[in-house]
Amino acid sequence: MVTVAAVWEALAEIPDPEIPVISLVDLGVVKAVQVDGEHVRIEFTPTFMGCPALETMRRQMEESVAALGGEAHVEVVHDDSWSTDRITPAGREKLREAGFAPPAPRSAGATTLVQLRSNAFRCPYCGSTDTRLDNLFGPTPCRSIRYCESCRQPFEQFKTL
């Protein structure tokens, strides 16, 4: 029999297609799991609606549930936008260990360019805050490129969304 706990455990093993050091669960895109016998309903909110990996993630979730003996229905939830606040503490640490600067907690207001330009962002390699914004536009809409003046390493900074 398929259980909610077993489904969450299986989903926690699925790596994000773009950043495989973090799972879909640690990224916070899996919103809810409901089990009714062999039928499993998964609510899923992608990091952004135009995500090119949407179908890949959906297929991976369906395959993981099928391996447990269940039949998954993955519903993409459009009425609740994802935010970087949903990344788990373990996920933030995995990002840092892989050389990504995790996003700062979201403040009540919108992130401004002044905030992005500040040197409050810590280098994931040496821990220095002597960093600068190199390029606001990173490899994906949720990341920018920063440079550490201390260890001279470029790194990707997750934008606070």
Side-chain angles (χ1 to χ4, degrees):
M1 183 168 162
V2 180
T3 66
V4 170
V7 172
W8 276 107
E9 286 177 30
L11 298 178
E13 297 297 317
I14 301 172
D16 177 71
E18 291 184 49
I19 308 166
V21 300
I22 188 170
S23 75
L24 297 182
V25 171
D26 280 335
L27 188 58
V29 296
V30 178
K31 202 173 162 195
V33 172
Q34 296 173 338
V35 175
D36 183 13
E38 294 179 1
H39 299 282
V40 177
R41 182 173 178 263
I42 300 168
E43 290 183 10
F44 167 69
T45 301
T47 55
F48 67 101
M49 288 303 125
C51 179
L54 185 68
E55 287 308 313
T56 299
M57 290 184 279
R58 182 193 309 253
R59 186 175 61 252
Q60 288 176 318
M61 287 186 270
E62 290 170 348
E63 290 170 358
S64 290
V65 170
L68 295 173
E71 181 183 334
H73 171 72
V74 180
E75 178 184 344
V76 179
V77 179
H78 295 287
D79 62 348
D80 184 25
S81 62
W82 177 85
S83 105
T84 53
D85 290 341
R86 292 188 182 183
I87 300 174
T88 67
R92 289 172 187 275
E93 183 59 22
K94 290 174 187 176
L95 289 170
R96 191 197 59 72
E97 289 173 356
F100 294 97
R106 186 169 41 164
S107 63
T111 301
T112 67
L113 186 56
V114 172
Q115 288 171 312
L116 290 172
R117 289 189 177 278
S118 80
N119 66 352
F121 296 100
R122 192 169 296 282
C123 173
Y125 299 111
C126 72
S128 172
T129 56
D130 188 13
T131 66
R132 65 173 158 73
L133 180 66
D134 246 13
N135 192 331
L136 183 59
F137 304 101
T140 65
C142 63
R143 299 188 310 232
S144 58
I145 305 297
R146 297 191 71 84
Y147 182 80
C148 179
E149 299 290 353
S150 295
C151 70
R152 306 217 185 284
Q153 289 289 325
F155 62 94
E156 293 181 31
Q157 168 70 47
F158 274 78
K159 296 174 186 171
T160 301
L161 303 173

